[in-house]
Amino acid sequence: MLLCRDIHFNRITQPEYDAKCFLSACGFSNIFLELKFSWIIKLMFAFSCRSAFELWGHGRTHSELRTSLLKYPSENMTPFMQRDSTYRINVYTFNKTLEFADRIKRIDAMEYLPFEGTVSLKSPQHIFCLLEDYGTDPNNIPEHPSYVYFGRWIADGQRELIRSHSVKNRHFIGNTSMDAGLSFIMANHAKVKENDLVFDPFVGTGSLLVACSHFGAYVCGTDIDYNTIHGKGKACRSSRKNQKWRGPDENIRANLRQYGTQRSYLDVMVSDASKPVWRDTVLFDAIITDPPYGIRESTRRTGSHKDITKPPDDFCGESHVPVSMAYHLSDIFTDLLNFSAHHLVKGGRLVYWLPVYRPEYCEEMIPLHPSLRMISNCEQTLSSHTSRRLITMEKIKEPEESDALAHLSDPRFSPYQGHNAFREKYFSGLNKKQIKVKYRTQANLMWN
């Protein structure tokens, strides 16, 4: 069996496949994997999977492909080549576009196969595919494919679900609403399943809750921004055209209602991630989140450097707005890991994004906790000098009192202070025109 995966998610697909099948797959290339049929069935639920094929032949050239196909057992071919059957041959190229005439030539060159049925372009009984792999570098496309495959189409993956959940058509969105494809992949990394309880401490407009609710999990979240979490005030830059203010029904519950998963919605509330409001016990099967980086959303927490940090004791009003102060990235990730260690069930997973400055990146930058085991660390490139890492961790034991002093005995558990300068490094050396291009690129990443 041959699996074709999405090149756009190339660096974060393997952990998703491992989460679905518990395997370490060996493959032909970055795009194609040769797998057992039982694994293919499971991987069709992976959102980075495009299609699955019954592999009949392969080779580095079309000549090698022909030799391989002629060796394929005829008894496996015959049931799909009967005289009373209909078929179609598709030509797919990866990282290169072929003219229509060139595609026809490729199909005509397959005349050595014993097809006896009738060609039907609209509704064939059997679909066969010729796939040409031209690598993954769009700036260095070879003249000839590096590998060629031929096989019978079995099924497509979950791509239609990604299109139907696109933020382009979502009722309630914000400046940093997570892309639907990445949201589903994060849910798979966390092994979210029916009746799980999933929490997002930086919930924003709830894109991750939408993805988790699709799998039947109960979802909840918190955020420090009242206007964002409840859909109040001015519309964001990413909202509908010519819309200045939020509509009366723009909220996270409405998003889940849009996709028919409202029953999975527990609630969201305004809360400071640095001051958890939950009782000290295990609660969640998974914690999935995308913390703010200080680029398009500020990193804030309640508090003040001044002496007075709360209203007077005789204050009786209801309109008090707590003073906020900077919430450093190193503190955000330390608090997130500590919270997860205390509130995840054993075996539960934490999945989150970590922004990094690529020239300085090293493994020691990844936050660690004695109660959490690193499962995967995948990179999504944002620019030539910045990226973000999709970190997946699993709780292996309950936290102990000694964990609070772990950073003294083992420097790996000390917060990496270099994260705090990410915003300055992100904009380093950029003029105003380049900064506008960066914002536009970020918006395109969200919409695509």
Side-chain angles (χ1 to χ4, degrees), residues 44-184:
M44 294 314 294
F45 293 96
F47 290 88
S48 50
C49 171
R50 294 176 66 95
S51 303
F53 307 90
E54 181 184 37
L55 184 62
W56 285 12
H58 59 89
R60 298 188 179 279
T61 64
H62 282 273
S63 177
E64 289 185 9
L65 172 65
R66 174 172 178 163
T67 301
S68 177
L69 282 172
L70 293 178
K71 292 181 179 179
Y72 190 72
S74 58
E75 60 270 21
N76 293 344
M77 288 186 179
T78 303
F80 309 103
M81 296 183 169
Q82 300 295 332
R83 187 178 300 275
D84 58 349
S85 65
T86 58
Y87 72 96
R88 181 180 75 213
I89 299 178
N90 293 335
V91 178
Y92 293 129
T93 57
F94 298 86
N95 199 33
K96 187 174 184 177
T97 302
L98 289 182
E99 298 291 338
F100 180 75
D102 292 328
R103 293 175 181 269
I104 297 301
K105 289 180 181 179
R106 300 284 202 280
I107 294 175
D108 290 342
M110 307 293 296
E111 61 181 3
Y112 56 85
L113 290 177
F115 287 107
E116 297 183 0
T118 304
V119 174
S120 174
L121 300 181
K122 291 186 177 181
S123 55
Q125 292 174 309
H126 311 296
I127 299 176
F128 301 92
C129 297
L130 175 67
L131 306 106
E132 296 184 347
D133 182 3
Y134 289 86
T136 59
D137 186 358
N139 299 315
N140 185 25
I141 302 176
E143 181 180 355
H144 302 289
S146 57
Y147 225 93
V148 189
Y149 312 86
F150 185 86
R152 184 174 64 90
W153 174 81
I154 300 296
D156 288 329
Q158 300 285 325
R159 306 300 300 170
E160 179 55 39
L161 192 61
I162 294 179
R163 286 188 286 269
S164 66
H165 283 68
S166 170
V167 293
K168 294 180 181 180
N169 306 314
R170 191 166 297 172
H171 186 70
F172 174 50
I173 59 173
N175 292 329
T176 56
S177 294
M178 179 65 67
D179 165 84
L182 291 177
S183 298
F184 282 119

Side-chain angles (χ1 to χ4, degrees), residues 123-348:
S123 55
Q125 292 174 309
H126 311 296
I127 299 176
F128 301 92
C129 297
L130 175 67
L131 306 106
E132 296 184 347
D133 182 3
Y134 289 86
T136 59
D137 186 358
N139 299 315
N140 185 25
I141 302 176
E143 181 180 355
H144 302 289
S146 57
Y147 225 93
V148 189
Y149 312 86
F150 185 86
R152 184 174 64 90
W153 174 81
I154 300 296
D156 288 329
Q158 300 285 325
R159 306 300 300 170
E160 179 55 39
L161 192 61
I162 294 179
R163 286 188 286 269
S164 66
H165 283 68
S166 170
V167 293
K168 294 180 181 180
N169 306 314
R170 191 166 297 172
H171 186 70
F172 174 50
I173 59 173
N175 292 329
T176 56
S177 294
M178 179 65 67
D179 165 84
L182 291 177
S183 298
F184 282 119
I185 288 176
M186 290 178 71
N188 274 344
H189 276 229
K191 297 184 178 179
V192 173
K193 60 185 183 302
E194 189 174 3
N195 295 325
D196 276 356
L197 179 57
V198 180
F199 175 64
D200 182 354
F202 301 95
V203 69
T205 56
S207 292
L208 297 176
L209 302 192
V210 170
C212 293
S213 68
H214 171 77
F215 294 104
Y218 294 99
V219 295
C220 58
T222 60
D223 202 287
I224 196 172
D225 191 330
Y226 176 91
N227 287 337
T228 297
I229 203 172
H230 291 296
K232 304 291 185 181
K234 291 185 177 181
C236 68
R237 294 188 299 270
S238 305
S239 291
R240 309 295 169 248
K241 185 177 181 181
N242 299 324
Q243 181 179 342
K244 295 182 178 180
W245 299 92
R246 292 287 191 188
D249 191 32
E250 286 194 58
N251 52 58
I252 297 173
R253 184 193 294 270
N255 278 350
L256 271 68
R257 185 187 307 121
Q258 178 181 351
Y259 300 111
T261 57
Q262 184 181 356
R263 61 172 293 276
S264 297
Y265 178 80
L266 296 181
D267 208 347
V268 294
M269 64 180 178
V270 179
S271 178
D272 182 354
S274 67
K275 300 177 176 64
V277 297
W278 306 92
R279 68 179 186 270
D280 190 15
T281 185
V282 294
L283 294 169
F284 307 112
D285 297 289
I287 297 175
I288 306 178
T289 192
D290 182 27
Y293 314 148
I295 306 300
R296 286 190 291 170
E297 296 291 346
S298 61
T299 54
R300 310 293 294 175
R301 65 183 179 91
T302 56
S304 173
H305 295 295
K306 300 179 181 180
D307 294 334
I308 301 176
T309 60
K310 62 180 182 179
D313 294 336
D314 58 352
F315 179 78
C316 299
E318 297 181 356
S319 59
H320 171 66
V321 178
V323 177
S324 63
M325 60 186 297
Y327 193 11
H328 297 303
L329 284 176
S330 60
D331 295 331
I332 288 178
F333 298 119
T334 298
D335 292 343
L336 177 61
L337 265 63
N338 284 333
F339 179 86
S340 301
H342 283 83
H343 296 286
L344 276 174
V345 300
K346 191 174 180 180

